Amino acid sequence: MYPSYDVIVIGGGHAGCEAAHAAATLGSSVLLITMNMQTIAQMSCNPAMGGVAKGQIVREIDALGGMSGIVTDKSMIQFRMLNRSKGPAMWSPRAQSDRMVFAQEWRDTLEANLNVDIWQEMATEIVMEGDKITGVKTSLGVVFNTKSVVLTNGTFLNGLIHIGEKQFGGGRSGEHAAKGLTEQLVGLGFEAGRMKTGTPPRVDGRSLNWEKMQEQAGDENPEKFSYSDTTTTLTKQRSCFITYTSNAVHDVLKTGFDRSPMFNGRIQGLGPRYCPSIEDKINRFAERDRHQIFVEPEGWNTCEMYINGFSTSLPEDVQYKALRKIEGFENAKMFRPGYAIEYDFFPPTQLKSTLETKLVENLYFAGQINGTTGYEEAASQGLMAGINAHNKIKEKEAFILKRSEAYIGVLIDDLINKGTDEPYRMFTSRAEYRILLRQDNADIRLTQLGYDLGLASQDRFNAVEKKKKEIDNVVETLKETSIKVNHANPLLNERELQPLSQGIKANQFIKRPHVDINLTMEANPSLKEAFNGYGEKALEEAEILLKYENYIEKEQKLAEKLTTLESYKIPEGFDFKSITALSSESREKMTKVAPLTLGQASRISGVTPADVTILMVYLDKQKV
Amino acid sequence: MYPSYDVIVIGGGHAGCEAAHAAATLGSSVLLITMNMQTIAQMSCNPAMGGVAKGQIVREIDALGGMSGIVTDKSMIQFRMLNRSKGPAMWSPRAQSDRMVFAQEWRDTLEANLNVDIWQEMATEIVMEGDKITGVKTSLGVVFNTKSVVLTNGTFLNGLIHIGEKQFGGGRSGEHAAKGLTEQLVGLGFEAGRMKTGTPPRVDGRSLNWEKMQEQAGDENPEKFSYSDTTTTLTKQRSCFITYTSNAVHDVLKTGFDRSPMFNGRIQGLGPRYCPSIEDKINRFAERDRHQIFVEPEGWNTCEMYINGFSTSLPEDVQYKALRKIEGFENAKMFRPGYAIEYDFFPPTQLKSTLETKLVENLYFAGQINGTTGYEEAASQGLMAGINAHNKIKEKEAFILKRSEAYIGVLIDDLINKGTDEPYRMFTSRAEYRILLRQDNADIRLTQLGYDLGLASQDRFNAVEKKKKEIDNVVETLKETSIKVNHANPLLNERELQPLSQGIKANQFIKRPHVDINLTMEANPSLKEAFNGYGEKALEEAEILLKYENYIEKEQKLAEKLTTLESYKIPEGFDFKSITALSSESREKMTKVAPLTLGQASRISGVTPADVTILMVYLDKQKV
Ligand SMILES: Cc1cc2nc3c(=O)[nH]c(=O)nc-3n(C[C@H](O)[C@H](O)[C@H](O)COP(=O)(O)OP(=O)(O)OC[C@H]3O[C@@H](n4cnc5c(N)ncnc54)[C@H](O)[C@@H]3O)c2cc1C
Ligand SMILES: Cc1cc2nc3c(=O)[nH]c(=O)nc-3n(C[C@H](O)[C@H](O)[C@H](O)COP(=O)(O)OP(=O)(O)OC[C@H]3O[C@@H](n4cnc5c(N)ncnc54)[C@H](O)[C@@H]3O)c2cc1C
């Protein structure tokens, strides 16, 4: 009776929104089933997007034609480029958003997409005929037919909230937990596990003493996330503030340890090592007598403050007393205590690199349900699952990003091959090719791919083509242009930089420390003329390419090697057990993961280079 | 450990927001405890404020210094003055709001009030020492101390949602029901009852055929609710649309009757007779072959539509099929089905006219918990409870509005004396003095009172004083000014109105049908000069006062009579049983209600004029 869909996305979080938007934009008819239309794209924890390695992911989503970058730009209240003083591989954009506006913008985005329908209710069952997906059933018993399903349930599956010794069922504070789906999936043969994460108390900014804290303003010339010109940079920003815990704070917190669900074993799930609670921090780093706290506003006008760095599930009275020992928090009033939440996840080694499950065709998992943490990680998976769900039912090629192409490639490759024992978040250290995977060049890396898919617009494509041409011209021109001693040295002296002893080519000049493209152009004004009208970003990009030429080349070579391994395809259903030359451990692991390329096989944890060689020889033989 | 408060308000709905704002503005320290800070001032049902009799209440709230009018002005997307073609007692302002903006504005308003703290959690218990309130306890076990408590739980107390044969616990779709409080109050001796209300399905505007419906635009020159100049009128508006059900629609709906919770007795609570579900309507008015449906947008940008007139708790498949039979809805897609909700209320005869409970000192009930329905009814009770909670602990006089002063007076007087068997909503017919209680003069009626309380600002007070002076001048001047035949008749002829046979005074001229203040000024241009610079509203007001002079005077006399009855105070704790001359029924009812004036006694249902006379004689004797 109800309409039939190409793709049903369950869950309107960051993963679900990107999945629905991508599949629908590509032309699939999509139904987004979510518990509450008013919490679509709700930021469960702090209202910020990006940060180290995560900012790169947002740029990648944007370049491919996803919406997280645009939505962030439209809702941000502060923008900072982190790690500017380090190499460009580390530069990471981060924005503080207005929580309400962020959700509103996503909702508007989905409503503007005529292929997206929405149904507000809890999905409780995937309807199957034999081993084929035919629909989704809701708590009311409504059945919607579909060809494929993307599950993005976030922290909601059998969610259990802990504060001190109290426990409540719930998917987030004040919201219902999702029931039924885990049990059904386990019944179908899926392995499920339990993880946990936490959130800090929210505090009334009107009760804080800002004078005692250190102001952290946004960048003076803020950038933005999206490469598209549909958004603009901020002209007004809101500041965050920095303060610290102290031994006095820690002492109060410790009085709650015996009533803590983390320490008395009441929480079973695995927590994020890299985003620990404050009680974890003072426990694990007992030697440190203070930890940094960021006080971050939740929006343009609200006095609600997010206390970043103070995630906790201690009893609320302990939270309150400890908060008030923090510098500037002497009279702090809480709006609500922090809490921890435990939820079901599905070890992601059960997925193909398209995020389709190996067990059930046309069923995709994306986001926190795969054991990740973070909006950016979730959103990027949603995007990939949405694209692949669409491509598969339309009989198009699978869309897979290589580790050398994108952090998103690293993320998914890590998940499906290594799985994860704790909530997985992205770090630059997870990427072998991080000098290639920069925030500044995601458009150059990925827009073409997004455009070929039909997701990135013609405008975006044209803009990247133009930028590429300009970069090439700049690089070529610098190689051919000389910098003369008598022109350059006065400029270098002014800046107390090492003078030239003889004339050099501009592409060498720019490699010198503290020399940038602007100084180079000043040192030979003919360049200024040559690059007249060029985009600022193209000039910057050329500078990076030249300054880091050696690193980039090295990584590119490495990446090509990997691509060779990657091009060794392993046939689906390949019987790894039959290769007796492999160690029995490797045989088992390969059988479980079922890698589809030699590259993928090489990244399975425990698989040795020797195993890979054996496999390669075997595959070569078969080919003959 | 946590701060102590003068007033704790439980529930951040319309009643709770006004209560918290009023008590805090008057100087009390207030804590608002509400389940979810993101649903503060959520409009549970349609996103509209005002309407017949309700619009008058919003004006009254505004004149007293409450915020509902201002919040509505700041969030409205359409404004209409209903019943303009009828007499001014019937004129009723109504605004369609953007649901999200409405909630945001209320939240900003509360945050801007430094005396309002907020705690996000479920309140589960009122803490008492003996028969004295000392605090409120939450689900986590946190106790906040307080001198008084205002309960505004809305539809949340043991809320139970029905859709067809399905039932869920919940305070609103997707939200938790409130547990514990009813049971505690019943334990303390309160009588509790059960009521129900319903809401229509929400529909995707993108799936509707607007061509087949009738557009209903906002007023051409829209007004606004607030008398204050902090808000402005709309320059751009969004339209609503009108369509109709048909026999085909009704036939489909009937197929669900056997699975309807309303008809098969699964719902026990009393429903609103005046705001019936569509199944009620086709059942009760079997002879009608169509009912009007208003399709109302939920905000500036959203495609979510509220289907006003189609409230239902039939099974969702029946809702869906029936919707699609409506003209313009042939391809309608639902976002979510309609539902009915049952909840606990406390018969309001248990309250004093300050909304304090008779049983527990410093405990106040306001809003839907008192058996009313509607945002305006709730908000006005919240305002009154907030004011009285403050006044009582600060040992100031109780603040009570007379039936002749305000619809709010009528509302509370009805509730506490007559109680209610079904969800109570305001109608003009409930007011004896409705020509006095107009939407245009609420400022003149009430601003002084709000100002004396300390709630309405000096600016408002000055504006009203100025307006009053202008009105008086206009009225006096018109009485003294003549309209000449040769001036007036050309104007009257032009408009095809009855010409004058002889000159008359301007105050008589303006009483003629279709003659208004503007025409009167044209008929004697000296008036234009005299009223130069006067407010438009003052001129309008003077016109109404003169045009309806006789009616107004008649009602004023009646009101004065009542005031006489009202001035007969009955001492608190008076023993009605001792007056054996009263019928035993009257003695019992009076004992239960414990009226504090003869007027109040006269309005108890079942009390006869004879009983009142007996009581008056008895009281007179006592005085001597
Ligand atoms: C308390 C808390 C603390 C966190 N702390 C951090 C942190 O410190 N750092 C960090 O990086 N990340 C943190 N996160 C994680 C971050 O919020 C998530 O990684 C991210 O939101 C995941 O996105 P998602 O789309 O996978 O799921 P979510 O954002 O959780 O969205 C899931 C959506 O699915 C809906 N849904 C679920 N089940 C159903 C169903 N059966 N039917 C219909 N709808 C359903 C829900 O209503 C919701 O809209 C925290 C999350 C929580 C709850
Ligand atoms: C489904 C539905 C349909 C309706 N239909 C109509 C209609 O057709 N016409 C009409 O005029 N009116 C209708 N209403 C009624 C209208 O919404 C209410 O009259 C109005 O909202 C009542 O305001 P309130 O402030 O009393 O309560 P609500 O607006 O219900 O607010 C109650 C608040 O209290 C909070 N709360 C409750 N218990 C606790 C607790 N223990 N601890 C902390 N917080 C608590 C809730 O979270 C909520 O914020 C409908 C309501 C519902 C739910």
Side-chain angles (χ1 to χ4, degrees):
Chain A
M1 186 184 72
Y2 293 99
S4 285
Y5 294 93
D6 291 326
V7 181
I8 290 184
V9 177
I10 300 182
H14 308 269
C17 286
E18 286 286 4
H21 176 265
T25 305
L26 293 176
S28 279
S29 61
V30 175
L31 177 66
L32 176 64
I33 303 184
T34 194
M35 286 195 201
N36 190 339
M37 281 177 73
Q38 292 189 41
T39 60
I40 282 178
Q42 172 93 20
M43 299 174 118
S44 317
C45 201
N46 69 332
M49 283 290 262
V52 180
K54 290 165 169 265
Q56 283 84 328
I57 294 181
V58 178
R59 292 264 206 222
E60 291 176 356
I61 293 172
D62 184 68
L64 288 167
M67 294 301 294
S68 292
I70 289 178
V71 166
T72 305
D73 284 353
K74 287 189 176 168
S75 59
M76 65 189 170
I77 64 174
Q78 186 193 76
F79 185 97
R80 290 173 60 224
M81 184 65 78
L82 308 181
N83 288 334
R84 255 258 207 246
S85 61
K86 300 188 182 162
M90 297 304 288
W91 296 7
S92 302
R94 181 186 194 274
Q96 196 76 18
S97 274
D98 182 300
R99 177 191 298 286
M100 301 282 215
V101 179
F102 186 91
Q104 181 75 53
E105 286 292 341
W106 251 123
R107 167 109 182 235
D108 289 351
T109 301
L110 294 176
E111 287 193 12
N113 194 317
L114 292 180
N115 281 340
V116 179
D117 287 351
I118 303 177
W119 181 264
Q120 170 174 308
E121 217 200 319
M122 191 188 291
T124 49
E125 196 185 319
I126 293 159
V127 184
M128 318 249 315
E129 269 172 29
D131 55 4
K132 208 170 150 281
I133 284 189
T134 63
V136 171
K137 197 172 182 172
T138 70
S139 55
L140 274 174
V142 178
V143 172
F144 294 96
N145 291 327
T146 185
K147 296 184 186 139
S148 62
V149 172
V150 183
L151 277 191
T152 67
N153 301 72
T155 54
F156 283 71
L157 293 173
N158 293 315
L160 186 65
I161 291 172
H162 297 264
I163 303 177
E165 295 174 301
K166 293 265 165 36
Q167 299 170 34
F168 312 87
R172 243 177 341 220
S173 171
E175 298 180 49
H176 295 294
K179 303 278 175 186
L181 279 171
T182 306
E183 295 71 14
Q184 185 198 10
L185 291 170
V186 169
L188 287 172
F190 283 95
E191 187 192 331
R194 202 87 173 135
M195 280 189 172
K196 75 136 214 282
T197 185
T199 195
R202 302 302 194 275
V203 166
D204 187 339
R206 302 172 303 175
S207 66
L208 301 182
N209 185 346
W210 304 108
E211 315 266 289
K212 291 194 165 183
M213 301 183 231
Q214 188 182 322
E215 182 166 355
Q216 187 178 52
D219 282 352
E220 232 170 275
N221 296 305
E223 295 193 29
K224 61 189 186 85
F225 272 106
S226 180
Y227 295 102
S228 100
D229 53 13
T230 56
T231 62
T232 53
T233 55
L234 288 174
T235 51
K236 196 185 91 187
Q237 300 188 64
R238 232 188 130 169
S239 290
C240 298
F241 289 82
I242 297 176
T243 181
Y244 295 90
T245 63
S246 63
N247 280 329
V249 178
H250 301 178
D251 287 346
V252 175
L253 288 170
K254 283 178 195 158
T255 65
F257 279 14
D258 56 334
R259 287 183 289 152
S260 156
M262 311 268 277
F263 295 133
N264 61 17
R266 214 162 330 104
I267 289 188
Q268 307 292 339
L270 305 157
R273 186 158 27 121
Y274 302 107
C275 199
S277 63
I278 183 73
E279 51 266 34
D280 261 351
K281 284 192 265 191
I282 60 181
N283 198 39
R284 273 188 2 222
F285 309 104
E287 72 289 359
R288 290 182 54 182
D289 55 12
R290 68 176 205 174
H291 293 279
Q292 204 169 29
I293 300 287
F294 296 89
V295 186
E296 305 176 338
E298 297 246 335
W300 280 116
N301 301 314
T302 182
C303 64
E304 191 172 348
M305 295 288 147
Y306 180 88
I307 311 304
N308 200 342
F310 206 79
S311 166
T312 177
S313 60
L314 290 171
E316 75 294 332
D317 55 326
V318 177
Q319 296 186 26
Y320 181 72
K321 277 187 226 145
L323 265 182
R324 292 193 147 209
K325 297 274 178 212
I326 298 174
E327 192 88 351
F329 279 59
E330 292 76 9
N331 297 307
K333 286 176 181 167
M334 283 203 298
F335 285 139
R336 53 183 168 118
Y339 64 88
I341 182 163
E342 275 187 293
Y343 54 91
D344 298 334
F345 81 106
F346 294 90
T349 47
Q350 303 173 90
L351 302 174
K352 303 184 189 174
S353 46
T354 55
L355 298 180
E356 191 182 21
T357 66
K358 293 173 184 168
L359 215 53
V360 177
E361 200 178 349
N362 291 318
L363 176 63
Y364 297 77
F365 290 172
Q368 192 115 353
I369 191 176
N370 285 336
T372 62
T373 173
Y375 310 135
E376 305 79 1
E377 290 83 351
S380 64
Q381 291 171 66
L383 177 68
M384 296 300 281
I387 292 169
N388 279 305
H390 169 85
N391 275 10
K392 173 138 187 191
I393 51 177
K394 304 289 177 186
E395 294 177 357
K396 299 194 172 163
E397 241 177 86
F399 183 67
I400 297 161
L401 292 170
K402 298 202 199 86
R403 293 182 77 88
S404 55
E405 277 175 331
Y407 272 96
I408 302 175
V410 175
L411 169 72
I412 294 178
D413 191 70
D414 275 354
L415 288 177
I416 65 170
N417 291 311
K418 299 193 191 140
T420 181
D421 287 338
E422 61 186 340
Y424 179 104
R425 79 168 266 192
M426 188 46 74
F427 294 103
T428 50
S429 60
R430 298 198 192 267
E432 300 82 345
Y433 314 108
R434 56 182 169 279
I435 187 75
L436 302 183
L437 307 184
R438 303 186 314 274
Q439 59 85 30
D440 57 88
N441 71 350
D443 54 345
I444 292 174
R445 290 184 274 130
L446 301 172
T447 301
Q448 170 92 52
L449 297 176
Y451 177 72
D452 291 344
L453 281 168
L455 207 51
S457 65
Q458 185 72 44
D459 281 356
R460 280 175 178 261
F461 180 75
N462 295 346
V464 170
E465 287 304 298
K466 175 167 173 286
K467 183 175 168 190
K468 276 202 230 164
K469 215 171 275 162
E470 289 176 4
I471 296 168
D472 286 350
N473 278 349
V474 175
V475 170
E476 285 317 306
T477 310
L478 291 186
K479 280 186 189 159
E480 288 157 12
T481 307
S482 302
I483 301 291
K484 301 219 176 90
V485 174
N486 60 340
H487 274 140
N489 280 0
L491 295 169
L492 294 170
N493 286 336
E494 240 174 66
R495 291 167 176 74
E496 299 182 13
L497 298 176
Q498 185 75 27
L500 293 181
S501 51
Q502 56 182 87
I504 54 172
K505 288 286 182 225
N507 67 327
Q508 294 305 320
F509 183 70
I510 202 172
K511 284 191 181 156
R512 297 167 64 104
H514 301 291
V515 172
D516 62 12
I517 183 75
N518 290 321
L519 189 58
T520 310
M521 291 196 292
E522 262 187 81
N524 185 336
S526 83
L527 291 172
K528 246 192 202 140
E529 233 164 90
F531 306 152
N532 185 20
Y534 277 31
E536 207 184 312
K537 290 288 156 197
L539 293 170
E540 254 183 38
E541 191 67 27
E543 172 186 318
I544 292 172
L545 289 180
L546 288 167
K547 266 183 134 41
Y548 298 89
E549 205 171 14
N550 298 340
Y551 301 95
I552 291 174
E553 265 176 22
K554 219 170 78 189
E555 284 200 359
Q556 249 153 0
K557 283 211 185 99
L558 268 173
E560 276 153 27
K561 255 196 214 154
L562 183 84
T563 307
T564 319
L565 275 187
E566 235 32 274
S567 73
Y568 268 90
K569 299 266 183 265
I570 306 176
E572 212 161 328
F574 182 82
D575 181 13
F576 294 94
K577 294 236 167 87
S578 67
I579 315 182
T580 46
L582 287 173
S583 75
S584 67
E585 189 198 340
S586 285
R587 265 180 285 163
E588 225 166 81
K589 287 207 165 155
M590 288 187 191
T591 305
K592 191 167 172 200
V593 173
L596 290 175
T597 70
L598 216 51
Q600 199 189 336
S602 74
R603 290 186 303 277
I604 298 172
S605 65
V607 169
T608 64
D611 291 328
V612 177
T613 316
I614 295 169
L615 198 56
M616 192 193 298
V617 171
Y618 191 92
L619 288 169
D620 273 345
K621 265 195 213 149
Q622 280 207 321
K623 268 190 205 147
V624 192
Chain B
M1 183 183 73
Y2 293 97
S4 286
Y5 294 92
D6 292 325
V7 181
I8 290 184
V9 177
I10 300 181
H14 308 268
C17 287
E18 286 286 4
H21 177 265
T25 305
L26 293 177
S28 279
S29 62
V30 175
L31 177 66
L32 175 65
I33 303 183
T34 195
M35 285 195 200
N36 190 338
M37 281 178 72
Q38 292 190 41
T39 60
I40 282 179
Q42 172 94 19
M43 298 175 119
S44 317
C45 201
N46 69 332
M49 283 291 262
V52 180
K54 290 164 168 266
Q56 284 83 327
I57 294 181
V58 178
R59 292 263 206 223
E60 291 176 355
I61 293 173
D62 183 67
L64 288 167
M67 293 301 292
S68 292
I70 289 179
V71 166
T72 305
D73 284 353
K74 287 190 176 168
S75 59
M76 65 189 170
I77 64 173
Q78 186 194 76
F79 185 97
R80 290 171 61 222
M81 184 66 78
L82 307 183
N83 288 335
R84 256 253 208 249
S85 60
K86 300 188 183 163
M90 297 302 290
W91 296 8
S92 303
R94 180 186 193 274
Q96 196 76 19
S97 274
D98 183 299
R99 177 193 299 286
M100 302 282 215
V101 179
F102 186 93
Q104 181 74 54
E105 287 292 342
W106 250 123
R107 166 109 183 236
D108 290 350
T109 302
L110 294 176
E111 288 193 12
N113 194 318
L114 292 180
N115 280 341
V116 179
D117 287 352
I118 303 177
W119 182 264
Q120 170 174 307
E121 217 199 320
M122 191 188 291
T124 49
E125 196 186 319
I126 293 159
V127 184
M128 318 248 317
E129 270 172 27
D131 55 4
K132 207 170 149 284
I133 284 190
T134 63
V136 171
K137 197 171 182 171
T138 70
S139 55
L140 274 174
V142 178
V143 172
F144 295 96
N145 291 327
T146 186
K147 296 185 188 138
S148 63
V149 171
V150 183
L151 277 192
T152 66
N153 300 73
T155 55
F156 284 70
L157 293 173
N158 293 315
L160 186 66
I161 292 173
H162 298 265
I163 303 178
E165 296 173 301
K166 294 267 166 36
Q167 299 171 33
F168 312 88
R172 241 175 344 216
S173 170
E175 298 180 48
H176 294 294
K179 303 279 177 186
L181 279 171
T182 306
E183 294 71 14
Q184 184 197 10
L185 291 170
V186 168
L188 288 171
F190 283 94
E191 187 192 331
R194 202 88 172 133
M195 280 189 173
K196 74 136 215 281
T197 185
T199 195
R202 302 302 194 276
V203 166
D204 187 338
R206 302 173 302 173
S207 66
L208 301 183
N209 185 346
W210 304 107
E211 314 265 292
K212 291 194 166 183
M213 302 183 232
Q214 188 183 323
E215 183 166 354
Q216 185 178 52
D219 282 352
E220 233 170 89
N221 295 305
E223 296 194 27
K224 61 190 187 84
F225 272 107
S226 180
Y227 294 103
S228 101
D229 54 12
T230 55
T231 62
T232 51
T233 56
L234 288 174
T235 52
K236 195 186 91 187
Q237 300 189 64
R238 230 188 132 170
S239 291
C240 297
F241 289 82
I242 297 175
T243 181
Y244 296 89
T245 63
S246 62
N247 280 328
V249 177
H250 301 177
D251 287 345
V252 175
L253 288 170
K254 283 178 195 159
T255 65
F257 279 15
D258 56 333
R259 286 184 288 153
S260 157
M262 309 268 278
F263 295 133
N264 59 19
R266 212 157 334 101
I267 289 188
Q268 306 292 339
L270 304 157
R273 191 162 17 126
Y274 302 107
C275 200
S277 64
I278 183 72
E279 51 266 35
D280 261 352
K281 285 191 264 189
I282 60 180
N283 198 39
R284 274 190 358 225
F285 309 102
E287 72 288 359
R288 290 182 53 182
D289 55 10
R290 68 176 205 174
H291 293 277
Q292 203 169 29
I293 300 286
F294 296 90
V295 185
E296 305 176 338
E298 297 246 334
W300 279 115
N301 301 315
T302 181
C303 65
E304 192 172 348
M305 296 288 145
Y306 179 88
I307 312 304
N308 200 343
F310 206 79
S311 165
T312 177
S313 59
L314 289 171
E316 76 294 333
D317 56 327
V318 177
Q319 295 187 26
Y320 181 72
K321 277 187 226 146
L323 265 181
R324 293 193 147 210
K325 296 276 178 211
I326 298 174
E327 191 89 349
F329 279 59
E330 293 76 8
N331 297 307
K333 286 176 181 168
M334 284 202 302
F335 284 140
R336 53 182 168 119
Y339 64 88
I341 182 162
E342 276 187 292
Y343 54 91
D344 298 333
F345 82 106
F346 294 91
T349 48
Q350 303 174 86
L351 302 174
K352 303 184 188 174
S353 45
T354 55
L355 298 180
E356 192 183 20
T357 67
K358 294 174 183 166
L359 216 54
V360 176
E361 199 179 350
N362 291 317
L363 176 62
Y364 296 77
F365 290 172
Q368 192 115 354
I369 191 176
N370 286 336
T372 62
T373 172
Y375 310 136
E376 305 80 0
E377 290 84 351
S380 63
Q381 290 171 65
L383 177 68
M384 296 300 282
I387 292 170
N388 279 304
H390 168 86
N391 275 9
K392 173 138 188 189
I393 50 178
K394 303 290 176 186
E395 294 176 359
K396 300 196 172 161
E397 242 178 86
F399 182 66
I400 297 162
L401 292 170
K402 298 202 199 86
R403 293 181 77 88
S404 55
E405 277 175 330
Y407 272 96
I408 301 177
V410 175
L411 169 72
I412 295 179
D413 190 69
D414 275 354
L415 289 176
I416 66 170
N417 292 312
K418 299 194 189 137
T420 181
D421 287 338
E422 62 186 339
Y424 179 104
R425 79 169 265 192
M426 188 46 75
F427 295 103
T428 50
S429 61
R430 297 198 192 267
E432 299 83 346
Y433 314 107
R434 58 182 168 279
I435 187 75
L436 302 183
L437 307 183
R438 301 186 314 276
Q439 58 87 29
D440 56 87
N441 71 350
D443 54 345
I444 293 174
R445 290 185 273 130
L446 302 172
T447 301
Q448 170 92 53
L449 297 176
Y451 177 72
D452 291 344
L453 281 168
L455 207 51
S457 65
Q458 185 71 45
D459 281 356
R460 280 175 179 261
F461 180 74
N462 295 345
V464 170
E465 288 303 298
K466 177 168 172 286
K467 184 175 167 189
K468 276 203 232 164
K469 214 171 274 162
E470 290 177 2
I471 297 169
D472 287 349
N473 279 348
V474 174
V475 170
E476 285 316 307
T477 310
L478 291 186
K479 279 188 190 157
E480 288 157 11
T481 307
S482 300
I483 302 291
K484 301 220 176 89
V485 175
N486 61 338
H487 275 138
N489 280 1
L491 295 167
L492 295 170
N493 286 337
E494 236 174 69
R495 291 167 176 74
E496 300 183 13
L497 299 175
Q498 186 75 27
L500 293 182
S501 50
Q502 57 183 89
I504 55 173
K505 288 285 181 225
N507 67 327
Q508 294 305 322
F509 183 71
I510 203 173
K511 283 190 182 156
R512 297 167 63 102
H514 301 292
V515 172
D516 61 11
I517 183 75
N518 291 320
L519 189 58
T520 310
M521 292 196 292
E522 261 187 81
N524 185 339
S526 82
L527 291 172
K528 245 191 203 144
E529 234 166 85
F531 307 152
N532 185 20
Y534 277 31
E536 207 184 310
K537 290 287 156 198
L539 294 170
E540 256 183 37
E541 191 68 25
E543 172 186 318
I544 292 172
L545 288 181
L546 287 168
K547 265 182 135 38
Y548 298 87
E549 204 172 15
N550 298 341
Y551 301 95
I552 292 174
E553 266 177 21
K554 218 171 80 189
E555 284 200 358
Q556 249 154 358
K557 283 211 185 102
L558 268 172
E560 276 153 26
K561 255 196 213 155
L562 184 84
T563 307
T564 319
L565 275 187
E566 238 29 278
S567 72
Y568 269 90
K569 299 264 181 265
I570 306 174
E572 212 160 329
F574 182 81
D575 182 11
F576 295 93
K577 294 236 168 86
S578 66
I579 317 182
T580 45
L582 287 173
S583 75
S584 66
E585 191 200 339
S586 285
R587 265 181 284 163
E588 226 167 81
K589 286 206 164 155
M590 287 187 190
T591 305
K592 193 168 171 199
V593 172
L596 290 175
T597 69
L598 216 51
Q600 198 187 336
S602 73
R603 290 186 303 277
I604 298 172
S605 65
V607 169
T608 64
D611 292 329
V612 176
T613 316
I614 294 168
L615 199 56
M616 194 194 296
V617 171
Y618 191 92
L619 289 168
D620 274 343
K621 267 196 209 143
Q622 282 206 322
K623 270 192 203 141
V624 191

